[in-house]
């Protein structure tokens, strides 16, 4: 009788321990989701700002070099490039912060003109493209529209163009293209960079 009661007590304790373990596991998963939700956007922002900041520093270094060598003509041209680069970096930072803050409240969507939006992407990456001697072209119908959050789509497009610029050689071209499909408006960033291997392609979206 005592052994039976002891076995029942042990079984009850084991059940209680299993329930606690499940609760701890659920809490761990919830905390991991919160961490990922917070950490993911910060990684995107870090990636998006890395190239423009490096680009701005390159302009500063070039300006300093021409100032030391007394090349007045190059200094004047670089000052204009520096102004544009600083403006683009400021605009990009503002868009990224607006997008980050919108994560908590939800993204508001609106109807936008595709060609105008791609024009803004072009403008945001123009100074880096000039520095790398890469031509960026925009191809989209004048009346093509899309329904989205502008800041979110700008973040995505700027990241894609940033990668295209990073892996493209001087003299190459990048095309920002928008087209109507059966699924809606499709945005494409077409480049002629080094690309990735078939093995990398198969695991690109595998976590």
């Amino acid at each position: 009788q005592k052994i039976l009661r002891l076995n029942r007590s042990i079984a009850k304790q084991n059940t209680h321990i299993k329930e606690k373990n499940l609760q701890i596991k659920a809490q761990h998963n919830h905390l991991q989701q919160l961490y990922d939700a917070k950490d993911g956007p910060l990684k995107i922002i870090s990636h998006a700002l890395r190239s423009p900041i490096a680009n701005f520093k390159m302009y500063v270094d070039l300006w300093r070099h021409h100032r030391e060598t007394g090349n007045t003509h190059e200094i004047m041209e670089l000052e204009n490039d520096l102004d544009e680069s600083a403006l683009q970096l400021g605009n990009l930072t503002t868009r990224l912060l607006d997008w980050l803050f919108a994560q908590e409240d939800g993204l508001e969507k609106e109807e936008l003109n595709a060609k105008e939006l791609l024009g803004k992407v072009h403008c945001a990456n123009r100074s880096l493209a000039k520095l790398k001697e890469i031509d960026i072209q925009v191809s989209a119908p004048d009346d093509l529209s899309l329904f989205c959050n502008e800041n979110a789509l700008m973040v995505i497009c700027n990241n894609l163009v940033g990668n295209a610029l990073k892996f493209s050689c001087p003299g190459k071209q990048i095309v920002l293209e928008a087209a109507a499909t059966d699924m809606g408006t499709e945005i494409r960033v077409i480049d002629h960079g080094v690309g990735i291997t078939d093995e990398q392609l198969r695991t690109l979206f595998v976590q």
Side-chain angles (χ1 to χ4, degrees):
Q1 188 74 20
K2 289 183 179 179
I3 295 176
L4 182 60
R5 285 199 299 268
L6 181 61
N7 287 338
R8 287 176 179 173
S9 177
I10 292 174
K12 187 175 181 180
Q13 289 177 1
N14 286 338
T15 300
H16 181 70
I17 291 172
K18 288 180 180 179
E19 291 175 350
K20 287 295 183 183
N21 285 337
L22 288 174
Q23 291 177 6
I24 292 172
K25 186 176 181 180
Q27 290 172 353
H28 170 76
N29 291 337
H30 179 63
L31 288 174
Q32 186 65 47
Q33 290 174 357
L34 291 176
Y35 173 80
D36 292 340
K38 181 179 180 181
D39 191 49
L42 293 179
K43 288 181 179 178
I44 292 173
I45 289 176
S46 174
H47 177 76
L49 286 175
R50 190 175 294 118
S51 290
I53 290 174
N55 170 36
F56 186 77
K57 185 180 185 303
M58 288 175 66
Y59 274 124
V60 172
D61 291 341
L62 282 172
W63 182 86
R64 185 180 293 115
H65 169 74
H66 290 308
R67 184 191 64 182
E68 292 172 353
T69 56
N71 194 333
T72 306
H73 176 70
E74 292 292 339
I75 288 176
M76 292 179 64
E77 285 195 357
L78 276 172
E79 284 178 348
N80 293 330
D81 292 334
L82 271 170
D83 283 341
E84 182 177 359
S85 182
L87 179 62
Q88 291 172 3
L89 183 57
N91 290 338
L92 175 61
T93 304
T94 299
R95 284 188 176 277
L96 287 169
L97 291 175
D98 288 344
W99 170 77
L100 177 63
F101 295 144
Q103 301 301 302
E104 298 180 359
D105 302 327
L107 298 175
E108 294 184 2
K109 298 180 181 180
E110 58 182 328
E111 187 175 5
L112 301 170
N113 181 276
K115 192 170 186 177
E116 290 179 1
L117 185 134
L118 291 182
K120 292 179 181 179
V121 176
H122 179 198
C123 182
N125 294 275
R126 185 168 51 201
S127 60
L128 180 56
K130 180 181 178 180
L131 195 62
K132 293 199 66 176
E133 300 178 1
I134 295 172
D135 180 42
I136 298 180
Q137 295 291 326
V138 174
S139 175
D142 293 333
D143 59 348
L144 182 63
S145 62
L146 65 163
F147 191 69
C148 67
N149 178 272
E150 181 175 351
N151 284 332
L153 190 56
M154 285 286 292
V155 169
I156 295 169
C157 289
N158 281 326
N159 273 331
L160 292 174
V161 175
N163 286 335
L165 287 168
K166 181 178 180 180
F167 296 106
S168 293
C169 298
K172 295 295 185 180
Q173 184 182 77
I174 296 172
V175 179
L176 310 181
E177 185 176 87
T181 70
D182 294 338
M183 300 293 292
T185 300
E186 184 174 278
I187 303 293
R188 308 185 189 104
V189 177
I190 305 168
D191 67 83
H192 304 279
V194 296
I196 62 176
T197 65
D198 291 338
E199 179 63 27
Q200 291 173 320
L201 186 61
R202 283 193 291 269
T203 60
L204 186 61
F205 298 107
V206 177
Q207 294 185 351

